[in-house]
Amino acid sequence: DLLRPPRAAPGPLPFSAPPRQRDLVMSAHEEIMDLRERMGRSIIGQEQVVERLLLTLLCNGNVLVEGLPGLAKTRAVKSLAKNLESEFSRIQFTPDLMPSDIIGTEIIQANPETQKRELKFLKGPVFCHFLLADEVNRTSPKTQSALLQSMQDREVSVGNKTYTLEEPFFVLATQNPIDQEGVYPLPEAQLDRFMFNILIDYPGYEEEVEIAKRYTHGEVPEV
């Protein structure tokens, strides 16, 4: 109900709750609808994609979007991150990508005070609030598995140390259709980490006309 457009005259909530909790729910509904409207300024159509993104965020989950390039998958998660003023990272998955390129790596560095060498951990792009794993099935299952711990436990283990990721942490992964060349099927253990698998299609005729008008004439709407 939080994602449904408001009625002409808001009626009573379908459950009994103390007034403070009821006011909190109604306030959250207004903020979510405002966020949905602001995302619609930069994303034309794709209402189901936006709705599923918000549902996944509210449920502290992750989402997998499958579709061809150019269908606003990257724009959707960027718009959500900017509207929430959160840190955003994008990883372009390629066949030569390694797990350390995602979670980070340890390097040997001299301590300026003791002049002794020690290991220092350099954080990878997974340390953010919104992580876009672009074309996640273009890399090998070994590298894909580097996201498993962060998606499930919101933690990253390197050596004998475990680092907790800041909340909120949200993974949006995109994948190309399996019939395209150069893609690896996602392991079942990783598919289980996603709350939704959204199949995104081309926009309608009127939406394509609106896209052409909005992004070829005048100013592009600011997020």
Side-chain angles (χ1 to χ4, degrees):
D1 287 343
L2 290 177
L3 292 172
R4 293 179 181 175
R7 296 179 291 252
L13 295 176
F15 58 87
S16 59
R20 185 173 180 274
Q21 294 184 9
R22 294 167 64 89
D23 294 341
L24 181 62
V25 171
M26 296 305 296
S27 175
H29 175 266
E30 294 176 359
E31 293 184 4
I32 292 171
M33 294 308 300
D34 178 64
L35 174 60
R36 190 173 184 176
E37 187 273 333
R38 283 186 280 124
M39 291 185 65
R41 299 174 189 173
S42 58
I43 304 170
I44 301 173
Q46 310 295 1
E47 289 86 0
Q48 186 187 53
V49 176
V50 174
E51 179 178 315
R52 295 295 184 268
L53 287 176
L54 296 178
L55 277 174
T56 308
L57 182 64
L58 289 172
C59 298
N60 198 28
N62 308 288
V63 65
L64 177 65
V65 181
E66 181 176 341
L68 296 172
L71 297 181
K73 299 187 295 294
T74 302
R75 179 179 293 273
V77 70
K78 280 186 175 180
S79 175
L80 181 60
K82 288 183 177 180
N83 276 301
L84 295 177
E85 297 182 346
S86 301
E87 187 177 354
F88 169 80
S89 291
R90 175 182 178 271
I91 304 175
Q92 175 61 56
F93 281 71
T94 55
D96 60 344
L97 197 71
M98 299 297 291
S100 59
D101 297 325
I102 299 175
I103 62 177
T105 185
E106 290 183 328
I107 62 172
I108 299 177
Q109 190 177 48
N111 190 318
E113 297 180 358
T114 62
Q115 298 300 321
K116 293 182 179 180
R117 294 185 177 183
E118 55 186 26
L119 289 176
K120 180 181 179 181
F121 177 63
L122 295 181
K123 294 182 178 180
V126 73
F127 288 87
C128 64
H129 293 130
F130 290 84
L131 177 64
L132 174 60
D134 219 353
E135 297 182 312
V136 67
N137 59 341
R138 285 199 178 276
T139 192
S140 65
K142 175 184 178 181
T143 303
Q144 293 172 9
S145 63
L147 289 172
L148 292 179
Q149 183 183 13
S150 60
M151 293 171 65
Q152 181 68 27
D153 301 322
R154 303 301 193 263
E155 295 178 343
V156 171
S157 295
V158 179
N160 59 354
K161 293 184 179 180
T162 299
Y163 302 87
T164 301
L165 299 174
E166 294 184 4
E167 294 290 345
F169 179 73
F170 176 61
V171 174
L172 185 143
T174 68
Q175 70 171 357
N176 295 324
I178 197 63
D179 56 351
Q180 288 195 331
E181 294 184 3
V183 297
Y184 300 84
L186 292 178
E188 186 175 353
Q190 185 161 351
L191 287 174
D192 187 54
R193 300 297 199 274
F194 293 103
M195 179 173 292
F196 289 113
N197 181 17
I198 304 174
L199 303 179
I200 186 170
D201 202 356
Y202 289 103
Y205 175 78
E206 292 80 7
E207 294 169 347
E208 287 193 0
V209 172
E210 179 62 26
I211 292 172
K213 289 180 179 179
R214 186 174 301 185
Y215 291 98
T216 56
H217 298 284
E219 296 181 359
V220 178
E222 290 290 336
V223 179

